[in-house]
Amino acid sequence: MTEEYRQRMYNLLELYERPLSRAEPVICIDEKSLQLIGNSRAPLPMARHTPAKQDYEYTRNGTTNLFVAVEPRAGQRIVSVTERRGKVDFVAFIKELLIGAYAKARRVHLVLDNLNTHFKKCFDDVLGQRAATKLLRRVQFHYTPQHASWLNMAEIEIGILSRQCLDRRIASRQLLRSEVEVWQQARNALQRTIEWKFTRQDADTKLGRYYVSKLTC
């Protein structure tokens, strides 16, 4: 592991140890592509002592995207269903977060992976440099090391979303939005947090043998 890898990892682990702060929320963001799947034949409903049945054949109704933002210590998440996941869609999602749920925050810490749409240049391209600078004046970006997206807690939330809501056939984007909204509201009402236990000490103990010294970087 290079020095850059190690420093990015340390930065995120330090960030995750900070107490909950309304003034400086830590928000993890990721996206998930999803195939929209419909039934080729109407399924048979569940009856007494008989489970519901659906035909093994299905229809493909295109793909869609979900942006997921989760504030792990607050137990709050915001999910947006979009047709695509290009830079225009990503910028619109971040803008909605900053002028909506986090409009009153003094500084917003965004944890992201290294997808090419996640950098400031994309905001400049979509909004223009002046507007992008104004929008991001309260934002501090924190990027996972290359090939270490597991350090982004949004992946945990997406895994939960997939198991609890998406692990079935969903035929349309409209239905997906409705189902995701119900799931989101229920988890937010319960304030389901993410307890991150992997510390810098754990990293050094478990990964130290792979570290590359500064002299050899």
Side-chain angles (χ1 to χ4, degrees):
M1 294 179 181
T2 65
E3 180 67 15
E4 180 185 29
Y5 186 109
R6 199 152 69 247
Q7 289 307 315
R8 284 193 179 189
M9 178 174 63
Y10 287 163
N11 171 62
L12 288 176
L13 296 179
E14 182 276 328
L15 189 68
Y16 291 162
E17 289 181 351
R18 296 184 185 183
L20 176 64
S21 172
R22 298 300 182 189
E24 294 199 22
V26 175
I27 306 162
C28 301
I29 295 173
D30 204 354
E31 54 261 297
K32 175 182 176 63
S33 295
L34 186 71
Q35 178 80 45
L36 296 172
I37 299 292
N39 292 303
S40 58
R41 298 177 181 84
L44 299 177
M46 180 173 59
R48 184 176 176 82
H49 304 304
T50 305
K53 297 183 178 68
Q54 63 182 18
D55 198 285
Y56 70 93
E57 291 185 349
Y58 57 86
T59 60
R60 297 179 183 270
N61 297 332
T63 59
T64 193
N65 174 70
L66 297 94
F67 288 113
V68 177
V70 58
E71 189 181 352
R73 285 198 178 275
Q76 296 295 305
R77 70 274 304 141
I78 296 173
V79 183
S80 177
V81 178
T82 60
E83 185 176 353
R84 291 172 291 273
R85 67 169 192 175
K87 61 184 178 182
V88 173
D89 309 282
F90 176 73
V91 168
F93 179 63
I94 297 300
K95 183 177 180 180
E96 185 61 30
L97 290 178
L98 296 176
I99 66 175
Y102 297 99
K104 296 182 179 180
R106 181 176 67 245
R107 180 172 296 278
V108 178
H109 298 273
L110 299 182
V111 177
L112 300 156
D113 62 24
N114 296 274
L115 193 66
N116 60 359
T117 56
H118 291 171
F119 293 89
K120 184 179 181 300
K121 183 181 183 301
C122 293
F123 290 84
D124 293 339
D125 292 344
V126 174
L127 302 175
Q129 188 172 16
R130 184 174 180 179
T133 299
K134 182 179 180 181
L135 177 69
L136 299 177
R137 70 188 186 280
R138 299 180 294 124
V139 172
Q140 184 171 347
F141 292 106
H142 303 265
Y143 293 100
T144 62
Q146 293 283 352
H147 311 299
S149 58
W150 59 272
L151 284 163
N152 185 344
M153 280 194 269
E155 286 203 349
I156 297 173
E157 192 68 21
I158 287 176
I160 296 169
L161 169 62
S162 297
R163 291 192 301 273
Q164 295 183 349
C165 183
L166 307 179
D167 191 21
R168 55 198 169 89
R169 293 178 183 177
I170 300 179
S172 68
R173 195 171 293 112
Q174 181 180 2
L175 177 59
L176 177 63
R177 285 196 180 100
S178 175
E179 295 292 300
V180 166
E181 179 64 22
V182 171
W183 174 87
Q184 173 184 298
Q185 287 182 5
R187 278 186 64 80
N188 284 342
L190 294 172
Q191 294 186 315
R192 294 297 191 188
T193 60
I194 298 175
E195 185 178 356
W196 184 266
K197 296 183 177 181
F198 190 74
T199 65
R200 176 168 174 164
Q201 183 178 2
D202 294 328
D204 291 341
T205 300
K206 297 178 181 180
L207 306 176
R209 75 178 106 170
Y210 303 110
Y211 291 168
V212 177
S213 69
K214 292 182 180 180
L215 296 178
T216 58
C217 286

